[in-house]
Amino acid sequence: MNTIETRLDRNQATQCLSCGREGKAVKTTTLHSLIKADRQDRIMDSKYLFCGSQGCEVVYFTKDGSHAFYKEDLSVRVGIKESSPPRPICYCFNHSVEEIFDEIQRTGKSTVIDDIKSRIKRDGCSCEVKNPQGSCCLGTVKHFVNEALPQFGKEADETVAGTGHKNCCRP
């Protein structure tokens, strides 16, 4: 196999076969926590990736492309893949995309990031088993805060862009 074919195979192994978006590695712990009970036996001993593409029904797929789980296979809504409410965004503390937009519309700012950070310090979090992405939600929350601000006549908040932990589960 030549170098181009090797690169192509490696890229395909990390891209969703349905939409082509690059997947993000996720632990099987996350799948075992969020896949519906009657579908648990379909979880294979394989490396899984998360597809975050909004228009794609695939949530998890194997690196070898042999298996996938779809939105309907999960016990929770995958907020970043949805276009209609409710769109959960913080699964540990029950924040939604709609909450962020509503608060910014009413007050010109969002307190969701500060709330998440303070509750993590006080209570800890369980992103690995509650968030379909299997990781900290703060990056996604920041994205939606900065998306909402200009829609209501506000500039993206530089302090928002620089906040958060690389992994909120270990502050």
Side-chain angles (χ1 to χ4, degrees):
M1 191 181 298
N2 67 37
T3 310
I4 293 171
E5 289 172 328
T6 304
R7 264 192 235 126
L8 188 61
D9 288 346
R10 204 174 298 134
N11 287 341
Q12 288 176 339
T14 61
Q15 292 177 337
C16 176
L17 294 176
S18 180
C19 71
R21 182 173 179 154
E22 189 75 17
K24 180 181 151 241
V26 65
K27 294 179 180 179
T28 55
T29 304
T30 305
L31 276 75
H32 283 291
S33 299
L34 299 175
I35 299 294
K36 291 178 180 174
D38 64 340
R39 297 175 182 153
Q40 288 280 318
D41 60 345
R42 293 179 37 212
I43 299 173
M44 300 169 33
D45 186 23
S46 187
K47 301 276 185 187
Y48 281 89
L49 298 158
F50 172 81
C51 174
S53 181
Q54 185 179 28
C56 184
E57 293 293 313
V58 171
V59 179
Y60 303 115
F61 60 96
T62 56
K63 273 191 157 188
D64 66 8
S66 66
H67 189 255
F69 285 103
Y70 299 84
K71 291 181 348 180
E72 66 200 31
D73 296 319
L74 274 70
S75 59
V76 296
R77 283 177 59 96
V78 184
I80 65 169
K81 295 180 84 59
E82 299 296 339
S83 57
S84 62
R87 294 183 294 165
I89 193 167
C90 173
Y91 293 80
C92 294
F93 307 115
N94 299 315
H95 291 291
S96 69
V97 172
E98 292 76 24
E99 175 187 353
I100 290 169
F101 277 71
D102 180 59
E103 183 180 33
I104 289 172
Q105 183 178 21
R106 285 184 296 104
T107 69
K109 64 179 183 168
S110 174
T111 59
V112 171
I113 291 172
D114 290 336
D115 179 67
I116 293 169
K117 286 179 167 186
S118 68
R119 291 173 77 178
I120 288 169
K121 284 182 184 177
R122 186 182 69 225
D123 305 325
C125 65
S126 303
C127 297
E128 190 174 280
V129 295
K130 290 184 176 183
N131 184 347
Q133 294 181 65
S135 61
C136 178
C137 69
L138 284 173
T140 306
V141 172
K142 289 185 288 186
H143 165 79
F144 281 103
V145 168
N146 279 324
E147 181 181 300
L149 286 167
Q151 289 187 27
F152 299 107
K154 305 294 179 186
E155 289 187 34
D157 188 342
E158 289 181 29
T159 60
V160 170
T163 61
H165 301 284
K166 191 171 189 176
N167 182 348
C168 66
C169 297
R170 294 176 190 96

